[in-house]
Each structure stands twice: as C-alpha cells, then as structure tokens.
Amino acid sequence: MSNRLLVRLDAHLFSAGVPAPVPVTLAADQILCEPGQRLEHVYFPGGAIIGLVYDLADGNSCEIAMIGHYGVLGLQDMLGEGPRQHTAVVQHGGLAWRMPRQHLLAVFDRDSQVRNLLLKFSGALINQICMTSVCHSHHTLEQQLARLILTLYFSTPDPALQMTQERLSRLLGVRREGVTLAALRLSQRGLIRYQRGLLEVVDCPGLVASACECVQVMRHAYAWLSRPDQC
C-alpha cells in the first residue's frame, strides 16, 4: 500500500537528505486540523482517506474535497496561505505517511521537479473543489451519492470502505433518509453492496454511468496519478 504522489517524490526527498516520512495509522473521524489552525505536518494517505469538510453555523457540514492515496494534506499550510476555513477529518481509517511541513517546504524551494509535482496536485485539488461545489448545486442526490462513492473508491486501494450512512449524509449535506433511499436504489441496480456500514463498489463502470459528469472531471484532473486497474 503506497501513496502515488509520494512515490513520485521519494527519490527527490532521499537525494535532498530529509528524514523519510513516518508511517502512521489514522482512525476514522480523527480530526487532523480544525478551522483557524495550521498543520505542522503534511500527510500522504495510503489506505486512509482525508476529507476536507466545511462546517456551517447551524451544525450541518458539507464535503469540499477528498484526499486519498494520490495526494497530500497540508499544502495550504506549507505554501503560507491564510488559516484554513475547513476541517480536515479522516473519513476512512488506514495508513498514511507524515512528515514535518518544513522538511517538504525546504525541498519544494530548491527542487523544481518537486515544486512542479506539488503545484500540479494543488491544481487538481482546486479542480476537485470546484467540481464538488457544482455537483452539490446542480445534480440529483443519487448522482451526488454515486460521485461521492466513486471519489472514495478511487481514493484508496482498500476494496471495501467502512462508511456509515450518517457520515455520507454529513458529507453531502443532506438528510440521512435521502441517502438511505439513494443508496438503496444503487444497490438494487447491482452497482454497490452496502450493509452494516460496509460499502463496496460492485459495478464500477455502471456506477460511473449513473453518476454525473463531475466524476470524469475529477478523473481527468488526477489521471497522471491514477491507478491503471481502475475502471
């Protein structure tokens, strides 16, 4: 299990003499950073999935983006942007690699290839954030759920996800009952298997066809880091 971006960066980090990232296990619902805080470490998920979630004043929340085994959490802090306005929370527990952001920043400043890779990922993440906003505004709940499930599926090599309907509803910013019905329809069509909080994609091409065009936008943005075995 590995992080595809870290694999691309590894030789540059080694030649720069910075300490190797440390493997850590992230637990589901673990909060890595809250609004107004700054991360002192960057995280490269392996099996874990980290969600960027915006919390509203009324207690509701909504997904902004997901970071999985093709990306890194912490570029905003590393590049000196202002305090974050969202929460970084683990949506699916698993392995990640952690390193002090100053170590990565030092290599970023002097290695153009590292800089280009990280800026390319940053651009892909911005595209995902924009796509997610459009999806929440213009597509049906069933399309949104299919898109979210595929985002999670593409974000980890784990074949099954521990994902409750409560967590899915929080990410989509909708009532749990709506997610229950949408998940049931996808399950009845043989696209997913979902029981007791365990979510599996059964028919990936079919689920892609049932989702909105946002899925293809996301896949295109991350194509340079995608798994060759994915549908």
Side-chain angles (χ1 to χ4, degrees):
M1 189 176 295
S2 63
N3 177 283
R4 301 186 69 84
L5 179 60
L6 185 57
V7 168
R8 300 280 291 271
L9 295 170
D10 186 61
H12 301 275
L13 300 177
F14 178 79
S15 64
V18 301
V22 177
V24 294
T25 300
L26 302 180
D29 294 322
Q30 179 179 348
I31 294 176
L32 300 177
C33 196
E34 296 183 321
Q37 296 180 337
R38 296 179 67 88
L39 280 165
E40 294 304 318
H41 293 82
V42 296
Y43 292 84
F44 295 89
I49 303 173
I50 301 171
L52 306 184
V53 179
Y54 191 88
D55 300 306
L56 300 171
D58 62 4
N60 291 318
S61 60
C62 193
E63 161 214 13
I64 299 173
M66 296 288 171
I67 300 175
H69 68 146
Y70 46 72
V72 59
L73 172 70
L75 281 188
Q76 175 179 341
D77 307 88
M78 195 187 80
L79 298 177
E81 299 180 20
R84 69 186 64 247
Q85 301 301 314
H86 56 266
T87 301
V89 57
V90 179
Q91 299 299 329
H92 174 67
L95 182 66
W97 286 266
R98 183 181 68 191
M99 69 182 301
R101 63 179 171 87
Q102 291 300 331
H103 289 178
L104 186 58
L105 179 60
V107 184
F108 178 91
D109 285 341
R110 63 176 182 260
D111 189 320
S112 62
Q113 293 188 61
V114 168
R115 187 160 54 249
N116 290 339
L117 283 170
L118 292 177
L119 290 177
K120 190 173 183 179
F121 167 74
S122 181
L125 184 62
I126 290 171
N127 283 336
Q128 185 188 163
I129 292 170
C130 294
M131 174 211 71
T132 302
S133 176
V134 170
C135 192
H136 286 311
S137 300
H138 295 284
H139 297 136
T140 68
L141 179 54
E142 187 172 324
Q143 288 176 316
Q144 292 182 52
L145 180 60
R147 188 265 310 161
L148 176 59
I149 291 173
L150 286 165
T151 301
L152 294 165
Y153 174 74
F154 294 142
S155 296
T156 177
D158 289 347
L161 299 165
Q162 291 289 343
M163 190 64 52
T164 65
Q165 291 185 0
E166 181 65 29
R167 182 177 291 121
L168 290 171
S169 65
R170 289 202 310 267
L171 288 171
L172 292 173
V174 300
R175 294 174 61 86
R176 178 177 174 178
E177 293 80 0
V179 168
T180 300
L181 290 174
L184 179 61
R185 288 193 293 267
L186 294 176
S187 179
Q188 289 174 337
R189 291 160 57 191
L191 303 179
I192 65 171
R193 183 180 299 113
Y194 189 38
Q195 56 184 354
R196 298 180 181 178
L198 189 66
L199 174 63
E200 297 179 85
V201 174
V202 177
D203 180 359
C204 183
L207 193 58
V208 169
S210 297
C212 47
E213 66 267 29
C214 298
V215 171
Q216 299 300 343
V217 174
M218 179 192 71
R219 297 183 73 185
H220 179 74
Y222 290 107
W224 57 290
L225 288 170
S226 62
R227 282 163 41 196
D229 60 324
Q230 289 178 328
C231 68

